[in-house]
Amino acid sequence: DAMVIQNPRYQVTQFGKPVTLSCSQTLNHNVMYWYQQKSSQAPKLLFHYYDKDFNNEADTPDNFQSRRPNTSFCFLDIRSPGLGDAAMYLCATSRDMGKQFFGPGTRLTVL
Amino acid sequence: AQSVTQLGSHVSVSEGALVLLRCNYSSSVPPYLFWYVQYPNQGLQLLLKYTSAATLVKGINGFEAEFKKSETSFHLTKPSAHMSDAAEYFCAVSDRLGGSEKLVFGKGTKLTVNP
């Protein structure tokens, strides 16, 4: 089945230690999104790629970066995680203005 | 900017009872509106989407929502709750980003279904 895959599902890192979260898709969608969802809060868009074009939300901290080496993969890099970055990170894909398909998420714990 | 407000962070119903989850939107243009469901430790699954084709939108799992422009509302309903409906529900409005779509989510409503 075509789908959005996120690895790992659970990630533990130490305060200040860089961490990378991975998202891959078999849907061949041209748009990929990263959302941050803190406990009991709504998902918040961090950034998205429209094809190769990177679009950062105005309030996304500089600590968060993203890479999209090809259509299928997108990475979220957190350069120096703080305790406040502990959250569920959701990847989603869409074809242009179409329906967004979400992955299962990666739950990040910062010790 | 587009926004949605979900009234009630927690809703509890008995199995077999009507489910009503409330969502009001704010939009300067005709909106695209969505309801998503999230089960524990999982991603979001689209229940239904309003794109101005019809005011009553039917979704998956027996859910439907009615767009009411006069009330700026898009409430989600299901006639008879099932235990498997227990989850968190998010209303969202679409904000266009060129050729792609930014979703602005409400704060969510956690639905509990009691036996």
Side-chain angles (χ1 to χ4, degrees):
Chain A
D1 287 344
M3 55 197 306
V4 182
I5 302 161
Q6 290 189 245
N7 285 308
R9 293 292 312 278
Y10 299 90
Q11 175 74 56
V12 180
T13 190
Q14 292 180 331
F15 183 94
K17 184 175 180 181
V19 65
T20 294
L21 309 182
S22 169
C23 178
S24 64
Q25 52 128 341
T26 60
L27 298 161
N28 202 31
H29 284 169
N30 60 328
V31 189
M32 294 186 78
Y33 309 78
W34 279 105
Y35 290 85
Q36 180 192 61
Q37 185 181 21
K38 295 187 177 181
S39 182
S40 301
Q41 295 187 25
K44 179 178 175 298
L45 183 65
L46 294 173
F47 26 59
H48 78 283
Y49 274 94
Y50 186 89
D51 294 324
K52 293 183 179 180
D53 294 333
F54 177 70
N55 298 273
N56 201 28
E57 291 299 296
D59 55 356
T60 298
D62 292 340
N63 199 26
F64 290 84
Q65 305 287 323
S66 186
R67 296 171 283 134
R68 189 179 186 185
N70 54 54
T71 301
S72 301
F73 284 87
C74 194
F75 300 99
L76 169 62
D77 300 309
I78 309 176
R79 293 192 297 189
S80 182
L83 297 179
D85 296 327
M88 175 80 89
Y89 290 88
L90 298 168
C91 175
T93 73
S94 72
R95 173 155 298 285
D96 296 326
M97 299 293 291
K99 169 184 171 180
Q100 289 190 26
F101 289 79
F102 283 80
T106 294
R107 183 167 295 283
L108 177 68
T109 300
V110 182
L111 301 178
Chain B
Q2 326 277 48
S3 66
V4 290
T5 302
Q6 290 184 243
L7 301 176
S9 58
H10 289 85
V11 169
S12 182
V13 300
S14 298
E15 191 173 19
L18 171 72
V19 175
L20 171 61
L21 305 182
R22 299 176 188 273
C23 174
N24 289 88
Y25 69 89
S26 172
S27 175
S28 57
V29 297
Y32 281 14
L33 293 161
F34 308 79
W35 275 100
Y36 281 85
V37 61
Q38 186 177 35
Y39 298 100
N41 293 314
Q42 293 189 27
L44 297 167
Q45 182 181 7
L46 181 67
L47 280 176
L48 49 82
K49 175 180 180 179
Y50 168 75
T51 57
S52 76
T55 57
L56 184 62
V57 183
K58 293 188 183 299
I60 62 171
N61 301 341
F63 284 94
E64 62 182 37
E66 187 172 8
F67 174 75
K68 292 187 177 180
K69 186 177 178 180
S70 60
E71 299 177 7
T72 61
S73 69
F74 189 59
H75 301 332
L76 181 70
T77 60
K78 182 173 180 178
S80 177
H82 193 273
M83 297 296 289
S84 61
D85 295 326
E88 187 144 25
Y89 292 80
F90 291 94
C91 181
V93 64
S94 169
D95 201 356
R96 309 296 172 81
L97 301 168
S100 58
E101 184 174 66
K102 170 182 175 178
L103 292 175
V104 177
F105 289 90
K107 292 187 175 181
T109 298
K110 190 168 185 178
L111 176 66
T112 301
V113 181
N114 302 307

